[in-house]
Amino acid sequence: MRRSSTAPDAMGPEVMELLSPLFDARAEYLRAAFGTIETTWGSVDAYSEGLGLSPETRERLRERLLTEA
């Protein structure tokens, strides 16, 4: 996500507090997302195929997102 405003008010504490949920990876958000994917698509693989991701792109995502840091 990119923010287009660099005005001081755009980075104020109130604005940042309102935007913070967009940048969090909260467990409850992830559970809800995966639950919806399972219900709607049946699996993450089917969902990613539905997004039009190629097998190569899906594999690169797996490598990047599922490796331990």
Side-chain angles (χ1 to χ4, degrees):
M1 172 181 255
R2 184 191 305 194
R3 296 190 55 199
S4 60
S5 178
T6 58
D9 290 347
M11 299 291 200
E14 294 91 9
V15 172
M16 296 310 290
E17 183 178 343
L18 289 170
L19 292 176
S20 70
L22 297 175
F23 301 104
D24 286 347
R26 296 182 184 174
E28 63 267 24
Y29 294 173
L30 295 172
R31 278 192 292 275
F34 283 115
T36 299
I37 288 169
E38 291 291 325
T39 300
T40 306
W41 293 90
S43 70
V44 173
D45 280 333
Y47 173 69
S48 64
E49 289 174 25
L51 291 175
L53 301 178
S54 70
E56 295 81 15
T57 299
R58 292 195 314 268
E59 186 57 34
R60 283 197 318 267
L61 284 170
R62 265 190 207 93
E63 289 170 4
R64 287 181 145 181
L65 299 173
L66 298 178
T67 57
E68 294 182 34

